[in-house]
Amino acid sequence: MTTSAKERTAAGDVPVWLDLQGGVPAAAQLRSLIAGNRIVGAGLGPDATVATARRVCDTFRTAREEGRGGQGAVVLSPTVSPDTEAAELVRRAASLADRTDRPGTAVRLPSNDAGLTAMGVLLGRGLPVHLATCFSARRYEQAAAAYLAALERARAEGHDLGGLASTVAFGLRPLDLRVDALLDRAGSAEAKALRGTAALLAARLAHRSADRIFDAGSPAWRKLAAAGARPLRLVWAELGGLAPGGGDPARYTAELVTADTAVAVRPGELGSLAGLRPRRGRPCGAHEAAEHFDACLDWFGIGAQDVVRELEGEPGTLAPDRAQVAGGVA
């Protein structure tokens, strides 16, 4: 895998979560990526060997020690399915972390109910978590509640909270593609005018929830933050080539990325972030716009929560194949 000089410095100040599921660059190239961009984490796929995981972890640790970036965790991905139960998720995740045997790791869990239960257990064992992938503010709020409860227990037991910083991926392109297909099926011009709207509204609601839950003015969060805890960071993921209204793909990211979130990209996609800067403010009226959009979906017979449950692969739902729903982005 080659990485151009342009890609090594393309992201600038945009916080990047490096998606390495498609392959891991050579050590020298990975060091350049970490040094040239603001990398706040990286995720390996379930096919990555223990040796590869160790190499990536060692590269990140060296970069941190030399002050060249790479502050986030390296996420290990145990092989699981949407119907894997919580106890088995814990066993597989802990086993993979033990075999990798490197500091600065986290483990990937599904964002369904079993994943949230496993999250609390693993955080209690001192192992950070990356949840992948949620598609609604409601699911993010559930994840944040599980995260806060685990941090409270850890603080009561005297554990250092600084090493438990976790992340949750928020999927964009699959949500828009699925809702857009249902709007097209509705057939009217009014329905089609709503295309490309679902993911951006859902993401804004999730961001608003994060601001509220981890507000510095909250007494409960202030105590945890004083003990070293960090908010559950949103990672905008599965962007694909979709942009609001079908324009420049960079606009999709520009609408959402702030200093306290991150965007998941593969090494070869860093060029798509060229010239972007994190937003300073938050869009206003997200809740009202989302309520109006949901009402419109209801009018056309589209259940937003049904779509979300399908995409998240909750056991018992008749979910279409993710590769089909996401246009090949799984």
Side-chain angles (χ1 to χ4, degrees):
M1 179 181 295
T2 60
T3 305
S4 69
K6 178 182 177 181
E7 288 164 344
R8 288 198 296 269
T9 59
D13 295 330
V14 174
V16 171
W17 195 88
L18 198 59
D19 183 354
L20 301 178
Q21 294 189 78
V24 179
Q29 294 168 336
L30 185 57
R31 286 195 296 270
S32 295
L33 286 173
I34 295 171
N37 295 285
R38 187 184 167 195
I39 309 297
V40 298
L44 299 169
D47 295 331
T49 65
V50 169
T52 297
R54 289 174 175 171
R55 174 168 69 84
V56 174
C57 290
D58 290 344
T59 302
F60 267 70
R61 185 180 69 246
T62 299
R64 285 194 295 270
E65 292 173 349
E66 295 176 352
R68 296 190 299 116
Q71 296 303 311
V74 175
V75 176
L76 312 173
S77 297
T79 302
V80 300
S81 64
D83 59 355
T84 304
E85 295 184 353
E88 183 64 11
L89 289 175
V90 170
R91 188 192 70 78
R92 294 188 190 185
S95 173
L96 181 57
D98 288 344
R99 284 183 283 122
T100 303
D101 192 26
R102 289 293 189 275
T105 59
V107 290
R108 186 192 306 266
L109 296 173
S111 63
N112 56 23
D113 292 342
L116 298 190
T117 299
M119 178 188 197
V121 175
L122 291 167
L123 286 170
R125 297 184 182 182
L127 189 56
V129 166
H130 174 80
L131 290 175
T133 302
C134 83
F135 294 90
S136 70
R138 176 176 173 271
R139 181 60 82 181
Y140 175 80
E141 290 170 1
Q142 292 172 338
Y147 182 61
L148 289 173
L151 292 180
E152 286 284 5
R153 290 193 296 271
R155 185 176 69 88
E157 294 169 4
H159 297 310
D160 175 23
L161 304 187
L164 297 180
S166 297
T167 49
V168 53
F170 195 99
L172 296 166
R173 186 172 186 241
L175 180 57
D176 263 337
L177 288 178
R178 179 59 175 149
V179 173
D180 287 356
L182 295 172
L183 290 168
D184 287 342
R185 187 181 301 172
S188 69
E190 292 82 1
K192 292 181 179 180
L194 298 173
R195 297 178 83 261
T197 305
L200 198 55
L201 284 177
R204 286 173 175 169
L205 284 180
H207 205 172
R208 195 182 80 151
S209 295
D211 287 344
R212 173 177 53 80
I213 294 168
F214 299 104
D215 187 274
S218 164
W221 175 243
R222 189 162 57 241
K223 289 180 182 178
L224 291 171
R230 284 179 279 177
L232 183 63
R233 183 191 287 267
L234 278 161
V235 177
W236 309 118
E238 301 190 39
L239 277 72
L242 185 67
D248 177 7
R251 285 186 56 228
Y252 205 56
T253 307
E255 290 284 341
L256 296 172
V257 176
T258 56
D260 55 352
T261 65
V263 57
V265 295
R266 293 171 180 157
E269 298 170 338
L270 281 164
S272 68
L273 304 180
L276 290 180
R277 293 292 181 269
R279 290 180 64 101
R280 292 185 179 273
R282 303 284 195 271
C284 298
H287 184 71
E288 293 77 9
E291 283 189 338
H292 175 72
F293 181 72
D294 283 347
C296 291
L297 292 184
D298 288 341
W299 176 262
F300 294 115
I302 301 170
Q305 287 304 314
D306 293 337
V307 172
V308 167
R309 282 192 292 268
E310 287 181 357
L311 290 173
E312 290 179 349
E314 281 286 7
T317 61
L318 298 176
D321 184 78
R322 276 293 298 282
Q324 295 177 2
V325 170
V329 180

